[in-house]
Amino acid sequence: MADAVRRAVTIEPGTVEPGSVRVRGYRSGVLVADADPPLLVWEHRFYPQYFFSPGQVRVELRPAGPGPRSPSLGPSEMLDVVVGDAVLDGAARRYPQAPVEEVRDTVTFDWSALDTWLAEEEVVHTHARDPYVRVDAMPSGRHVRVVAGGQVVAESSRPVVLVQSGQPPRYYLPRVDVRMDLLTPTGTVSYCAYKGTAAYWTVRAGGLELTDVAWGYDNPLREGLLVAGLVCFWPEKNADLEVYVDGERVQEP
């Protein structure tokens, strides 16, 4: 099982490279930025951000004073973004002292300040996509059993295994193989740029109440289509949740 974990490419903060596709950002239907391609800048190691040169910005930017210092890019300057009659306070920033010279005249936008991001014609969710992340979902014949407090919560020999770069494999089970009467929706959601929006359940079984230890995607993005409507369990969330794959208990990665 341990060998099944796919390792992600290690990207150091401050890494800069050209993107490979056209990226556009909109606010209220107004084109704010359009680059073919933008720069990809890893301000931190988790995922890149899109940076645009002055000629790729389609709206007015107004200086708004100094901003926070980035450990990898240095001090920032905040910019107000003028979109029609609206002014988005501090919604853009630049790093005039960035270690990589080509970054110094570019700007990046707060992701949530723009309501639509497109890579080519596909909507990008949550944050910029990392070109080094791969997501594979495939039908599997492994036997998966989930137990809480000695009670079987789910058992299936037809899971879909999903492997994402740098993450342990996850086993998604058909709902007919899950005791859905033991699961209660919690209202918790999480967002993934590659799979979409997940909703969570609490498991009540064997005298235990384990909060947010199961999740699923009803309407996943392209990479996660095979797990639509399935249920995945999260043993790292609570040690009282036991997940077995082919008889071997899944350990915390």
Side-chain angles (χ1 to χ4, degrees):
M1 292 290 293
D3 292 339
V5 178
R6 186 169 302 180
R7 300 300 179 190
V9 173
T10 300
I11 300 292
E12 294 298 327
T15 298
V16 178
E17 63 181 52
S20 57
V21 300
R22 182 185 184 190
V23 171
R24 286 166 288 165
Y26 291 83
R27 170 68 181 240
S28 302
V30 177
L31 180 61
V32 174
D34 183 353
D36 187 14
L39 283 179
L40 298 181
V41 179
W42 278 261
E43 188 173 353
H44 47 69
R45 66 181 178 86
F46 303 108
Y47 52 82
Q49 293 165 261
Y50 299 133
F51 276 66
F52 300 86
S53 66
Q56 296 166 339
V57 177
R58 302 291 192 257
V59 296
E60 180 186 355
L61 303 179
R62 297 175 181 171
R69 181 182 181 87
S70 166
S72 61
L73 301 179
S76 67
E77 295 177 355
M78 304 303 293
L79 301 160
D80 294 339
V81 180
V82 182
V83 182
D85 296 330
V87 178
L88 311 180
D89 295 334
R93 62 191 183 279
R94 67 164 57 98
Y95 294 89
Q97 300 177 39
V100 178
E101 185 175 357
E102 62 184 319
V103 175
R104 295 173 188 169
D105 290 332
T106 63
V107 299
T108 187
F109 296 89
D110 287 346
W111 189 265
S112 60
L114 307 189
D115 52 43
T116 304
W117 289 92
L118 297 178
E120 298 298 339
E121 301 300 327
E122 183 174 68
V123 176
V124 183
H125 299 267
T126 309
H127 57 72
R129 288 181 162 225
D130 187 331
Y132 299 107
V133 168
R134 177 170 175 169
V135 179
D136 292 308
M138 63 206 82
S140 172
R142 292 181 180 272
H143 180 263
V144 178
R145 185 164 57 95
V146 181
V147 180
Q151 185 172 3
V152 175
V153 177
E155 189 162 12
S156 181
S157 293
R158 47 182 175 174
V160 172
V161 58
L162 186 145
V163 182
Q164 180 172 329
S165 301
Q167 303 293 326
R170 299 294 186 186
Y171 295 89
Y172 288 76
L173 312 181
R175 295 194 185 197
V176 295
D177 294 338
V178 178
R179 287 284 306 273
M180 296 302 296
D181 58 310
L182 303 178
L183 274 60
T184 303
T186 66
T188 299
V189 295
S190 64
Y191 306 95
C192 173
Y194 314 99
K195 300 186 295 292
T197 302
Y200 287 72
W201 291 274
T202 285
V203 171
R204 294 183 173 89
L208 301 175
E209 182 173 318
L210 311 179
T211 303
D212 288 341
V213 294
W215 75 81
Y217 296 88
D218 282 340
N219 298 289
L221 302 179
R222 170 167 45 88
E223 287 92 334
L225 286 176
L226 284 182
V227 303
L230 307 185
V231 179
C232 186
F233 292 88
W234 191 7
E236 306 99 300
K237 176 72 172 179
N238 193 306
D240 289 325
L241 185 74
E242 303 170 34
V243 176
Y244 297 87
V245 177
D246 290 340
E248 181 179 350
R249 185 172 179 178
V250 173
Q251 302 297 324
E252 183 173 347

